[in-house]
């Protein structure tokens, strides 16, 4: 990630990430597709090549949405004891919608936090 030479107003990384906006100016689009990070910000010109969320968003989504959906499915089974086809009709679409929505939101937040905290790969100091 290159150093910024321009002065930009402070942007809340959580808000910018949830809205899918540039982590530097808060106005340009972060995503060029549904989950594809763009090449650069059309507003301030920030190069998004630093953005690498890795598997972090997927792990958070699996853990959070999995906990919610499995908990609701267990509650419904114990309380109402519906047939198996009803479980499939309810929980599979709900899990897909929640996972896809949460994945974009969490990926945006992690990328904007990565920029605001100047996070990068770990490097060994070989100056000794």
């Amino acid at each position: 990630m290159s150093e910024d030479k321009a002065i930009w107003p402070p942007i809340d990384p959580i808000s910018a990430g949830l809205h899918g906006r540039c982590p530097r100016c808060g106005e340009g689009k972060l995503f060029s597709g549904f989950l594809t990070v763009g090449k650069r910000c059309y507003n301030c010109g920030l190069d998004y090549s630093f953005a690498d969320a890795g598997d972090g968003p997927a792990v958070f989504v699996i853990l959070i949405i999995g906990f919610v959906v499995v908990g609701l499915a267990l509650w419904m089974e114990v309380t109402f004891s519906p047939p198996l086809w009803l479980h499939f009709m309810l929980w599979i679409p709900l899990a897909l919608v929640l996972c896809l929505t949460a994945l974009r939101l969490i990926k945006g937040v992690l990328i904007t936090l990565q920029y605001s905290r100047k996070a990068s790969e770990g490097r060994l100091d070989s100056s000794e």
Side-chain angles (χ1 to χ4, degrees):
M1 185 167 25
S2 62
E3 290 295 319
D4 281 340
K5 302 297 182 202
I7 299 173
W8 297 96
I11 301 295
D12 178 31
I14 304 293
S15 176
L18 290 175
H19 290 98
R21 298 293 176 197
C22 173
R24 180 163 67 179
C25 67
E27 294 180 18
K29 290 182 179 180
L30 181 61
F31 296 104
S32 62
F34 184 69
L35 289 173
T36 307
V37 178
K39 299 284 183 203
R40 65 180 52 252
C41 175
Y42 68 85
N43 189 45
C44 68
L46 176 65
D47 183 23
Y48 292 148
S49 63
F50 72 89
D52 181 22
D55 293 334
V59 170
F60 287 126
V61 167
I62 289 169
L63 291 175
I64 294 167
I65 303 301
F67 177 79
V68 170
V69 170
V70 169
L72 288 172
L74 287 173
W75 172 80
M76 187 171 177
E77 179 62 34
V78 170
T79 306
F80 300 110
S81 191
L84 191 58
W85 65 266
L86 186 59
H87 278 294
F88 288 130
M89 294 299 291
L90 284 175
W91 306 119
I92 291 175
L94 179 68
L96 286 174
V97 168
L98 289 177
C99 285
L100 290 174
T101 304
L103 190 57
R104 181 180 168 102
L105 297 174
I106 293 176
K107 185 173 183 175
V109 168
L110 288 179
I111 289 172
T112 55
L113 283 172
Q114 180 183 7
Y115 177 81
S116 69
R117 304 289 184 228
K118 296 178 177 60
S120 62
E121 287 181 19
R123 293 192 171 86
L124 295 175
D125 185 20
S126 61
S127 63
E128 296 176 13

